[in-house]
């Protein structure tokens, strides 16, 4: 079974840093794009950062210069380094990945979501 497992969330003071990790496991042929989203209570889930298989990145305007997305293809893992955290960053963070599963019936593409990890920034 292919799945994404997140870790690294927690409580941090404003101005501090956290690093989120999201590892894909299972029978995987390849992973295309990997992304991080955030969702605060009562709000829409929003794209935070994305990285392609080739390493190209995109960021939401609100996190540019503060967050860095990276990936380790050998470990099927994506990271989100969050620096200079603000109280407005408080949310549940979800990783997302396009995965080509190595199925007995042939390659099978799917979009997967992690379980979410809580990030709370105190002021």
């Amino acid at each position: 079974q292919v799945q994404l497992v997140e870790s690294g969330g927690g409580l941090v003071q404003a101005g501090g840093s956290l690093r989120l990790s999201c590892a894909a496991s299972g029978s995987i042929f390849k992973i295309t794009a990997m992304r991080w989203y955030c969702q605060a209570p009562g709000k829409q889930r929003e794209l935070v950062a994305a990285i392609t298989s080739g390493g190209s990145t995109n960021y939401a305007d609100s996190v540019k210069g503060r967050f860095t997305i990276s990936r380790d293809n050998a470990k099927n893992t994506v990271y989100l380094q969050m620096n200079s955290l603000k109280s407005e960053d408080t949310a549940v963070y979800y990783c997302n990945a396009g995965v080509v599963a190595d199925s007995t019936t042939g390659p099978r593409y799917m979009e997967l979501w992690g379980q979410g990890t809580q990030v709370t920034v105190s002021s």
Side-chain angles (χ1 to χ4, degrees):
Q1 180 180 353
V2 179
Q3 59 183 349
L4 304 179
V5 179
E6 303 177 31
S7 62
L11 175 65
V12 65
Q13 294 184 42
S17 298
L18 285 173
R19 190 180 77 155
L20 307 183
S21 299
C22 176
S25 63
S27 183
I28 299 169
F29 176 69
K30 70 178 297 182
I31 301 175
T32 56
M34 304 188 82
R35 309 172 185 89
W36 286 98
Y37 289 78
C38 68
Q39 187 168 28
K43 298 188 66 177
Q44 298 290 317
R45 190 170 297 186
E46 299 179 342
L47 180 66
V48 175
I51 185 167
T52 69
S53 60
S56 297
T57 59
N58 283 300
Y59 298 93
D61 288 342
S62 61
V63 306
K64 286 181 179 178
R66 299 190 298 121
F67 291 8
T68 303
I69 188 171
S70 61
R71 63 192 288 168
D72 184 338
N73 291 331
K75 296 181 178 180
N76 289 331
T77 300
V78 62
Y79 305 94
L80 186 67
Q81 179 66 47
M82 302 184 294
N83 297 328
S84 301
L85 282 161
K86 306 173 181 179
S87 60
E88 305 94 276
D89 298 319
T90 295
V92 177
Y93 285 74
Y94 297 89
C95 67
N96 166 270
V99 176
V100 181
D102 190 8
S103 171
T104 56
T105 61
R108 178 165 54 93
Y109 178 82
M110 63 184 71
E111 292 285 332
L112 298 179
W113 291 91
Q115 81 280 7
T117 184
Q118 177 71 48
V119 171
T120 302
V121 184
S122 63
S123 60

